């Protein structure tokens, strides 16, 4: 039986986060060894299947249409393009493809049907398939599950309190609702957040409380370090220190022992020594490929060299959970209901988001 706790408090998590560094590292590494093979790291490839033009105002995101960034938008990729990229990812050691679309939410219709076909196609390549498509309804989650989706990513980003300082176009509870919809299927949940957005340590702990008290806890928790992109409201944020990153990874590992902890955005700012400390502290997944949606990421060969140096091996697919079956579109039990999810539209104003939006007008 699992000993995982679901009643963590912010105070307990802060006590862990603030432990003397060596003690924290030792405790996290001990938990890690108990639940995982410490020499295995899962490698995912993140593929932006539809880039830019997003109506949301996430303060960290260069894909939000309202900010002026260098990101070039593109329409939804074709199933064939996605298949070609997935084959390349598989050949370079990835066991999972995560497809990201810059959408506020999923809308039933041709584009979603295309995504379902992409899921079927990648699952048939014997790879784990993950999607991150924004908010979705329960029926849409079932349709993805039927197509053979392995995981759905929907990050909480920060604590409930700090979320309001970063995003005004939807609420924290909308995130939880989508996670809940995914939980009604066999699809695993991937949900984490970003540090370095100007939040306090209490917010980092608050985010971990929100994740660790989910029952079951997310199977995967990405920990991102903000990559401050010019033109976004968070463009002037200082990079997160490696010490904060290791503390965050270690704390996540301790409070969510069975979870796969993903080192995500921000790895280009980290030395190999820094990344090695993160692996020791319990990180056991990375994103491979030279781009993470739109921000830079280490080259695949560099990662493989690092793996060799550290004696790490890429994890094979479907070690944690069986490969889902793929149901073909014509045999599907769940139909297109013409749905799109409802959300709370809090619409409060965030000063720095407003300023970044105004700046665009002066540049036109
Ligand atoms: S993070 Fe996602 S939802 Fe937010 S602006 Fe970027 S693409 Fe849109």
């Amino acid at each position: 039986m699992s000993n995982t706790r679901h009643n963590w408090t912010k105070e307990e998590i802060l006590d862990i986060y603030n432990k003397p560094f060596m003690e924290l590292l030792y405790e996290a590494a001990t938990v890690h060894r108990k639940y995982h093979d410490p020499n295995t790291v899962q490698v995912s490839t993140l593929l932006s299947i539809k880039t830019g033009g997003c109506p949301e105002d996430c303060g960290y995101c260069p894909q939000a249409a309202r900010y002026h960034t260098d990101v070039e938008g593109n329409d939804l990729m074709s199933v064939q393009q996605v298949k070609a990229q997935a084959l390349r990812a598989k050949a370079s050691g990835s066991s999972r493809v995560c497809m990201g679309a810059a959408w506020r939410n999923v809308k039933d219709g041709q584009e979603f049907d295309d995504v379902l076909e992409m899921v079927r196609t990648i699952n048939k390549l014997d790879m784990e398939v993950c999607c991150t498509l924004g908010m979705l309804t329960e029926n849409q989650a079932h349709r993805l599950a039927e197509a053979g989706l392995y995981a759905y990513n929907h990050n909480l980003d920060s604590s409930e309190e700090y979320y309001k300082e970063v995003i005004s176009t939807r609420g924290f509870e909308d995130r939880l609702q989508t996670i809940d919809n995914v939980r009604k299927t066999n699809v695993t949940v991937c949900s984490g957040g970003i540090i370095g957005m100007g939040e306090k340590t209490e917010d980092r702990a608050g985010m971990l409380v929100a994740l660790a008290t989910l029952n079951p806890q997310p199977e995967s928790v990405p920990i991102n370090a903000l990559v401050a992109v010019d033109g976004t409201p968070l463009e002037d944020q200082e990079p997160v220190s490696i010490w904060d990153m290791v503390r965050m990874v270690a704390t996540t590992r301790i409070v969510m022992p069975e979870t796969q902890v993903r080192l995500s955005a921000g790895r280009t700012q980290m030395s190999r020594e820094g990344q090695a400390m993160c692996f020791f502290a319990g990180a056991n997944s990375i994103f491979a490929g030279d781009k993470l949606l739109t921000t830079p990421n280490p080259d695949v060969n560099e990662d493989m060299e690092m793996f060799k140096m550290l004696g790490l091996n890429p994890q094979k697919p479907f070690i944690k959970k069986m490969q889902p079956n793929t149901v073909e579109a014509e045999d599907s039990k769940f139909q297109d209901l013409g749905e799109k999810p409802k959300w709370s539209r809090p619409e409060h104003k965030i000063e720095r988001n407003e300023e970044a939006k105004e700046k665009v007008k002066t540049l036109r």
Side-chain angles (χ1 to χ4, degrees):
M1 223 182 69
S2 157
N3 294 321
T4 300
R5 278 181 55 192
H6 299 277
N7 58 353
W8 289 99
T9 64
K10 201 197 271 190
E11 291 64 38
E12 285 175 312
I13 292 183
L14 276 171
D15 282 349
I16 297 173
Y17 186 96
N18 290 321
K19 272 182 191 237
F21 191 76
M22 295 307 164
E23 217 173 292
L24 173 63
L25 214 56
Y26 180 73
E27 188 178 330
T30 307
V31 172
H32 188 48
R33 266 141 215 278
K34 191 166 159 206
Y35 289 87
H36 305 270
D37 173 355
N39 296 319
T40 300
V41 173
Q42 196 256 330
V43 183
S44 292
T45 292
L46 189 51
L47 200 58
S48 185
I49 57 170
K50 190 265 164 193
T51 309
C54 181
E56 299 285 65
D57 77 335
C58 308
Y60 50 82
C61 181
Q63 302 201 66
R66 62 189 73 202
Y67 310 134
H68 181 80
T69 65
D70 288 338
V71 167
E72 280 183 34
N74 64 267
D75 294 338
L76 189 65
M77 281 167 74
S78 69
V79 177
Q80 282 318 314
Q81 283 173 314
V82 167
K83 183 176 180 181
Q85 299 258 24
L87 283 168
R88 269 183 47 199
K90 188 175 181 178
S92 59
S94 278
S95 59
R96 179 180 292 197
V97 172
C98 181
M99 295 187 280
W103 289 333
R104 182 198 304 259
N105 55 270
V106 172
K107 280 190 215 114
D108 283 349
Q110 188 57 53
E111 291 202 315
F112 185 42
D113 291 347
D114 290 349
V115 172
L116 294 171
E117 197 48 38
M118 292 171 194
V119 172
R120 289 186 195 97
T121 305
I122 301 175
N123 187 39
K124 285 180 200 160
L125 298 176
D126 296 328
M127 297 183 82
E128 297 172 0
V129 198
C130 173
C131 280
T132 181
L133 313 169
M135 292 174 270
L136 44 81
T137 65
E138 189 181 332
N139 186 62
Q140 290 165 342
H142 280 296
R143 294 180 74 200
L144 284 163
E146 251 197 347
L149 191 73
Y150 187 90
Y152 194 80
N153 166 268
H154 203 60
N155 289 334
L156 292 185
D157 292 340
S158 192
S159 66
E160 182 165 8
E161 295 74 28
Y162 200 68
Y163 194 84
K164 298 186 190 81
E165 305 292 325
V166 181
I167 298 148
S168 72
T169 48
R170 53 166 196 263
F172 194 76
E173 62 280 13
D174 298 315
R175 307 302 279 175
L176 294 171
Q177 182 58 56
T178 289
I179 292 174
D180 203 44
N181 288 340
V182 175
R183 274 291 176 224
K184 291 176 181 139
T185 71
N186 284 331
V187 174
T188 61
V189 169
C190 173
S191 184
I194 308 172
I195 64 170
M197 299 194 292
E199 75 287 340
K200 298 196 190 81
T201 309
E202 284 73 13
D203 294 306
R204 295 177 187 175
M207 179 183 91
L208 292 180
V209 171
L211 293 167
T213 53
L214 291 172
N215 192 1
Q217 293 178 340
E219 284 81 356
S220 152
V221 172
I223 302 295
N224 295 276
L226 178 76
V227 178
V229 178
D230 281 351
T232 61
L234 296 177
E235 63 184 358
D236 292 328
Q237 286 297 322
E238 290 296 320
V240 160
S241 82
I242 187 64
W243 310 109
D244 282 15
M245 195 65 188
V246 176
R247 281 189 182 278
M248 192 66 185
V249 165
T251 310
T252 307
R253 167 51 66 230
I254 293 167
V255 300
M256 290 181 268
E258 294 173 82
T259 290
Q260 200 119 35
V261 179
R262 295 179 186 278
L263 273 191
S264 303
R267 273 203 307 125
T268 43
Q269 297 156 2
M270 289 162 65
S271 66
R272 283 189 175 170
E273 293 86 339
Q275 292 181 65
M277 260 198 299
C278 289
F279 293 130
F280 187 68
N284 57 350
S285 170
I286 58 163
F287 281 109
D290 56 0
K291 276 233 159 113
L292 269 193
L293 294 179
T294 59
T295 52
N297 198 45
D299 187 80
V300 180
N301 294 334
E302 274 178 42
D303 282 337
M304 287 308 141
E305 255 178 49
M306 175 177 71
F307 273 30
K308 210 167 148 197
M309 199 160 56
L310 300 175
L312 296 173
N313 303 305
Q315 183 181 293
K316 297 205 167 31
F318 312 114
I319 296 287
K320 303 272 175 191
K321 184 181 161 260
M322 264 172 56
Q323 182 169 11
N325 288 329
T326 281
V327 176
E328 296 303 331
E330 54 277 18
D331 302 324
S332 173
K333 278 198 298 202
F334 295 92
Q335 300 307 317
D336 179 332
L337 301 176
E339 279 187 321
K340 64 176 189 185
K342 295 191 174 59
W343 69 96
S344 60
R345 299 173 207 253
E347 300 288 4
H348 56 282
K349 296 264 186 260
I350 302 171
E351 213 172 295
R352 60 189 172 194
N353 290 15
E354 294 300 311
E355 280 167 16
K357 200 167 81 181
E358 285 305 310
K359 225 158 110 191
V360 175
K361 290 185 191 154
T362 61
L363 293 168
R364 280 194 180 129

